[in-house]
Every structure is written in structure tokens, then in C-alpha cells.
Amino acid sequence: MTLAPRRWILDLGMTALLIGVAMVGFLPTFAGPSYLPAAVGGILLGLAIAAVCTLRRWGVLIVTGLVIAAYFVFGGALALPHTALLGFLPSLETLRLLALGVVTSWKQLLTTVAPVSAADGHLIVPFLLALVASSVTASLALRLERVVWALLPVAATLALVIALGTPEPAMPVAQGLLVAVLSIVWLAVRQIWAPRNAAVSVGEVDPARAAHMRMRRIVAGAAVLVIAGGAGVATSAFATPQQPRHVFRDVIIPPFDIRDYPSPLQSFRKHVRDHKNKTLFTVRGLPEDARIRIGTMDQFDGMVYNVTDGGPGSSSAFTPLRSNMAPDAEGVPATLKIEIAEYNAVWVPDAGHVSAIRFQGDRAEELRRSTYYNPATGTAVATSKLARGDAYTVETIIPATPDDDRLGDADFGKVPMPKQSNVPQELSALASEIVAGAETPIEQVRALETFLAEGGFFSHGLEGEVISRAGHTSERISTLLGGDQMIGDDEQYAVAMALLAREVGIPARVVMGFYPDEEQKDQAVFEATGDTLHAWTEINFAGFGWLTFNPTPPEDKVPNDQNTKPRVDPKPQVLQPPPPPQEPVDLPPTLPDDRESEDESLNILGIIGTILAITGISFAILALLASPFIVIGAWKAAKRRARRAAERTADRISGGWDELTDRAIDYGARLPAGATRTEEAARVAETFTVPAVTALADRADAEVFGPAEPTPEEVDAFWNEVDGIVAGLGAQAGFWKRTKARLNLRSVLGGSAISGRLQELKDAAAARVRGGRASIETTTSTPAESETTS
């Protein structure tokens, strides 16, 4: 096939552009262009293979072979440079990883939390995909007249890149628009250059008119593309989907759900009590007045303040770590170095608007892949839990705190807030009463803050402190606000202020975290302890975001007494005159009335009798149900006792061996009838991998068929070995198999009964032989003894 040079340039150029545009979708997956050398290298190799094979008219088998060869030859330099010799020569490790990567690299890419690292071998995916897609697309375009078939692998590549990527698209509008425009241009130019159109133009229309018509087509096509592109860009501004797109990663790695973990506020009192003076973690570089944040909660259900299950943009919308997570944040940049000590939880301490979190140490990669961040609340979570020795660096922006003068004209922010439920009814009226005299939004917030901070008392309820119950349920908040004295700690006051604010339409949420006290403010290293744990309320102001407010009274403001009963209206005390004297009334003689005590005794006896009857019936039913098991167990125990207490010691040895074979049969061994002990031992050893049973069989034969009866000590030692082997059989089996063996009737009804009877006959014969041998020895020795005597 002879193609014009312009056809080669067009098809190869369009293939490179379309596959390259599709590969742009990997930008969020790799958090940058680190994968582009592998993708571009794969595209160039695929184009070269397609061009050479088309020029030489080689078939699909040779094309496939060259693609495989290029994959292994250039895969080290482009996809696995850290394993290649001198960075480009494939080593044995490179070839091994490339061979495995054809199958495993896709799964590794999808099961690794994005953004993935190029150094982990993930470059195999873009390299292999670009190589195959470009070679197939270019081969179809160069060999076929209809270029539409070449667009099918382009569409498949684009869809696969999206499916292998992340829910956050790279440049969806520009990417889709470029693919559409390039595809239409390719189709149009190939249509114009088609041989049949050229023949018609030359044969029926003069060259000038043909050129004019060709130009009109090009201009019209370009106009259509411009209009379509403009319409697409314009509609994309208001047609952005509300939900993120779904990709393979969502199926293989389930979306992170923060509600799988309890609210951090539930452990507030525990940290205060158990870690009062223990260092949980240390922070270096914490700016003045900055606070370490642990958790941010914005939904109350009557039991706990928690995050909202509200989808993207809510307090439960956590995403994997990435770089530059707060590009629009304003404030003072800070670098925090945090080292974990006694702290052990999923909530990651941070501060401000976090831009990046970088872990150090042995668990750095594990923590990076298991950590998620919510930019809306400024909180991070590590599903693998932080532990002693973990360390990380937080690049953050600490926002400035405006004063009340700047907030004087600011309104509350228009932010979506979740619906509260089971809020104490009295809070609505109380909140309205508190803010009734406030004119501006900031004055309303200050009124709520002052009501709690100045009207309440502080107590953690620990030993030596005034009673203060933990928790922040509706009942606890109602007791705090309705008691004779408001007594609580940060947990109750922060929740109370947030609930009061929400009742009058103020956007509020509760934050739990740490910040230095007055003694630690000037220290270079902040040591977070249970004593520096706090909770506070945040209010959203338009143009300023979420601002911090402290409704908790000072810790040195404690109540004078512990009386926290509800307020009562005292009645005036009036001295009443003494009652008039009354004459004694003659009453009939009182007789002892024993009926009540008798009735009570009867009732108690009846209750006890009923309980005993129910208990007896229950035990009877259980005994009836368990009776088969009891009978089987008693039967086997009786057989064991009979064998163990046989009259002759040789029979006790035989009985011990029979006990072993019975238990082996119960556990599933198949012993042939009439087999010798050696044969039985071989079958047991083969079934259960118990080699010691063979030596035990030889010992039993030696002691049973020996010239003398075994001693009681030898019998005890033999039975100890039997018990040890039987215990080993039970240890190899599970609970249910052991239970089944105890209830198995094969050893009782059949099993080794026949072989045991045959063995008894053999043992009896051996005993007779041993007895005859002893008598012969006695008879033989008699003449000698008489001779000695004479």
C-alpha cells in the first residue's frame, strides 16, 4: 500500500494528539506530570511500530510481537528506571516486574490511595496503555479507508483513563472538547482526501471550483466546531455535576466514611481524666494564639455532636491527602512538626488551613495512604491510627483573627447546616431571651458567650472537684442550663452555645482540640496533655469564615457548694399556733392481725416456688436434650475405666492400645478389621501425622508378648503416652470436630470392636505361651536345684 506523505503525517499526528489528550486524565492520579515521560514514550513507540508494520505490510502477529518486544526492551527506561541498569538497560528484576505488571499493575494502581508515586512501579499502566492504544489506533488509521474505526480505540483509551483515575477530573471541559474537535477534523480531512472525492473533482468539476468547494467545506466545518466548542464551554459553567464521577477506584477502595468512627467529643472527659499530665504529642512551630484541631462536629442528634453525613462539601467529605489542599487560604504560613507520644487515635492533630501533610518514619507510607482530609472543617483522619513514634510535618496557613470592630457590619455566613434533632425544648426560648437586646450578629454571639462564660462554673467532675457529669446529651445540656448552678467543662459549654446559636439561626459548630495555657505560650515546643484539651464553638461570618468563641468559664471559677438541684420557689415561713388539745378516744382492743404477714409469706413462697419450678423444668429439658450425649460419654468413660483397671497388667496395656485406636476411629481413622497393632499404627500415623504411635505399637507388642508381665509402672507410663497422643489428636482438630469425636458411636458400636476382640485372643494366646514358658523354665531348673541341695 502506497500512501501519500500528507496521509502519513495526518494519521500519525492525529493519533499522537488524541492519545496524548486522553493521557492527560492521569494528572490527578499522579499529582502532576511525573508520568508523562512514560506515556509519551509509549505513544512514540506505538507510532513507530504501526508505521514500520504498515510500510512493510506485516500482519497482526508481527505487530503484536513488536509491541511485546518494545514493552520489555524500553519498559525499564520508561516505566521502571529504578530497577534498570544505568537507568535504561533492563535487568532481571526489571523483566520480572514488567512480566508481572501486565496483570498486577492495574490492581496496584487502583488499590493505592491517590496520588500514587511514580517510584512504586505505577508508571507501567500509562506506559503500557499508551503503547497499545497508539499502535492499534495508528495501524487502523493507516490501513483502513474509514478512519472512524481508528477512533474506537481512542474512545476506549479515554474511557479507561477516566475509569482508572480519581473522582476529581483533570480538565474535563478542555479534554472532552479537544478530543471532539480533533476527531471531527480528522474525519473531515480524510473525507476530503478520499480518492473517490478527488476523482469526482477532477472528472466533473474544474480545479478552481473544486478548490473553492473544498475551502467552503473547511470553513463551514471550522465554524461548526467553534460554535459547538463555545456552547460546550458556556454550558459547563452551570452544568457541573453535583456529585463526583464514579470510577473503578470507588468500587475497589470503598469511599471513606468518617461516621464509622465515634465522635472525638465522646472521649473528651476520658482524655482529661486519664492523660491529665501525660504528653500525648508535641508540636514545634505553633504560632501564637493558634490552636491544634482534632475534630469538628456540626450535627446534634440528642445523644452526641457528630459530623454530618451530607455528601461532598459537608463535614463528612474526607478525601485522600494531596499537595496544595488549601490554594485559596489567606493568613500566616506555618510549618508544624508533630511527634506522637501517648496519643493513639484516628483523628490527626493539625491546625489552620492545611496545605500538605508529610509523614516521616517507618510508617510514613502506610499513614500517607490511610490519611484523609476535609478542607471544609480542617480535620484529618488516619484510618490506621496514630501511634507512639509517628511523626509528620504540616504545611498550613493560620488565618488572622478579626476583632469585634471589623465584625461590626458583618452578617452571618450563608453556609448549609445540618438539621438538629432532639434539642431540649427550653433552649429556643432561652436563646431568644439572651440575644433579644443584641443589635448586630457579633453582639448576638457575644451575648451567648457571656451568658455561659460568666454565668456558669467550671468543673471536670474529677476527684476533689465539684460533681459534674460527663457527656453532652440533651438531658445533660438541659440539666446544665436548668439547674440551680451551671456546672460543667468545655464539653458541655461548647455544645450548649452551639445549640443555643442554632436555635436562633446562627451557623455554629463544635471543635475539639488543644492549645497552650498561659504558662506554655512562650515555649518553643507545645506539649499537648489532657490538661490542655479543650472544646470551643465556631461561628461562621460572611467574608471571614469560621471564627472561634470560648463559652467555657475560667477553670478557677468553681461553685461554693455542690448543690445542683433545680431551682425552687421558697415559701415564707409563718409561725403556726399549737394545735388544740384533743380528748383521748376509746378504741376497741387491738388484736394482732397476722393475715398480711401470712399473705406476704405466701406470696414470697409462691414466687420462690415458681422460680424453682421453672428452674427445675429448664434443667429437666436440658438434661433430656443432653441425655444422648451424657450416655455416650458415660459409656466411653466406663470402657476406659474397665481397660485401665483390668486384672492382668498385660490386659491394661492392651486396653490402653484399644483406647488409642477407639479415639482415632472417633476422629475419622479407618482401621481394617483384624489388623495387627503395627498395621493399625501405620494407618493412624498416615491419617493424623502422628509418628509416635508406631513406636507405641511396638512397645505394646513387646510388653504383651514378652516373657514377663509388665510392671504397674510400665502400665502407667504406657497410658500416659496414650493420653498424650489422644490429646494431640484433639489439638489438631477444631472445636466442632472434637465435639463430633466425643459423640461418635463408631468406636462404641463397631469400629475397633472386631479387631479388638481378635487382638484379645492373640494376647490370651501370648499369655498362655508366656505361662507355659514359665512352667518349662521352672521344671527345667528343678533337677539343678535338687542337685545343689543334695
Side-chain angles (χ1 to χ4, degrees), residues 93-167:
E93 179 67 10
T94 303
L95 298 178
R96 184 185 71 84
L97 293 177
L98 287 173
L100 294 176
V102 175
V103 178
T104 62
S105 60
W106 314 92
K107 178 184 177 182
Q108 291 175 355
L109 179 67
L110 292 175
T111 55
T112 302
V113 175
V116 300
S117 174
D120 292 342
H122 299 299
L123 292 179
I124 292 179
V125 173
F127 170 66
L128 180 58
L129 186 58
L131 175 63
V132 174
S134 59
S135 61
V136 173
T137 303
S139 296
L140 292 176
L142 293 172
R143 294 169 185 262
L144 301 178
E145 290 297 327
R146 297 181 62 85
V147 75
V148 66
W149 298 109
L151 294 177
L152 295 180
V154 173
T157 303
L158 179 62
L160 193 57
V161 170
I162 293 174
L164 294 173
T166 62

Side-chain angles (χ1 to χ4, degrees), residues 232-317:
V233 173
T235 55
S236 66
F238 55 86
T240 303
Q242 296 298 320
Q243 300 293 333
R245 61 179 179 181
H246 297 284
V247 295
F248 288 161
R249 192 179 302 273
D250 295 334
V251 180
I252 297 178
I253 303 178
F256 171 71
D257 187 2
I258 187 60
R259 294 177 71 88
D260 291 340
Y261 302 92
S263 169
L265 200 59
Q266 292 178 273
S267 61
F268 183 89
R269 188 66 64 87
K270 179 180 182 298
H271 281 303
V272 172
R273 181 189 66 241
D274 299 342
H275 304 96
K276 182 177 179 62
N277 297 315
K278 296 181 180 179
T279 301
L280 298 173
F281 57 88
T282 60
V283 183
R284 297 177 183 272
L286 185 67
E288 186 178 359
D289 297 331
R291 301 188 177 195
I292 297 295
R293 183 184 302 261
I294 295 294
T296 302
M297 293 70 65
D298 57 1
Q299 185 178 38
F300 184 73
D301 59 5
M303 295 299 296
V304 64
Y305 232 111
N306 208 345
V307 296
T308 307
D309 188 11
S314 68
S315 59
S316 61

Side-chain angles (χ1 to χ4, degrees), residues 27 45 76 91 133 265 350 376 483 533 547 552 639 665 704 723 770 784:
L27 279 172
L45 288 173
S91 62
L265 200 59
D350 61 38
L533 178 64
L547 302 180
T552 305
K639 288 184 66 176
I665 290 172
V704 170
D723 293 339
R770 183 166 51 242

